[in-house]
Amino acid sequence: EYLKIWPNPVSAGQPLEILFEPPQDHTLTGPLRVQLLDALGRPVQENTLRGTAGQLTTNNLSTGLYYLHLTDGTRWLAGAKVVVE
């Protein structure tokens, strides 16, 4: 509920928007990192967000299902499935 990604499904080449809205009492322990894994669990892309929002490029992605993981300096915070068309 704290992670929003759009558009999903996303067309290859279109940026994927990411917004993390943590609860008010949550303190981040480092910069937010986004890792995108393919359907077999292999990392295909990794980025650091500036603040709690950003974009992920999809130019180099094939069509299919991906898993997005969001972490801070010490822990996994949220995740989502991403479909690239």
Side-chain angles (χ1 to χ4, degrees), residues 55-75:
Q55 289 184 339
L56 198 63
T57 62
T58 61
N59 294 336
N60 61 338
L61 301 178
S62 302
T63 58
L65 177 66
Y66 294 86
Y67 300 99
L68 185 142
H69 291 204
L70 184 69
T71 63
D72 65 7
T74 60
R75 62 191 163 214

Side-chain angles (χ1 to χ4, degrees), residues 6 25 36 51 61 69:
W6 72 94
D25 62 342
L36 198 63
L61 301 178
H69 291 204

Side-chain angles (χ1 to χ4, degrees), residues 18-78:
I18 301 167
L19 176 63
F20 181 63
E21 297 176 317
Q24 290 183 354
D25 62 342
H26 181 78
T27 302
L28 296 175
T29 59
L32 292 177
R33 307 249 334 133
V34 177
Q35 186 177 40
L36 198 63
L37 308 173
D38 68 12
L40 298 176
R42 298 176 297 208
V44 294
Q45 191 171 351
E46 195 168 317
N47 289 7
T48 300
L49 296 183
R50 294 181 184 166
T52 59
Q55 289 184 339
L56 198 63
T57 62
T58 61
N59 294 336
N60 61 338
L61 301 178
S62 302
T63 58
L65 177 66
Y66 294 86
Y67 300 99
L68 185 142
H69 291 204
L70 184 69
T71 63
D72 65 7
T74 60
R75 62 191 163 214
W76 185 87
L77 300 171

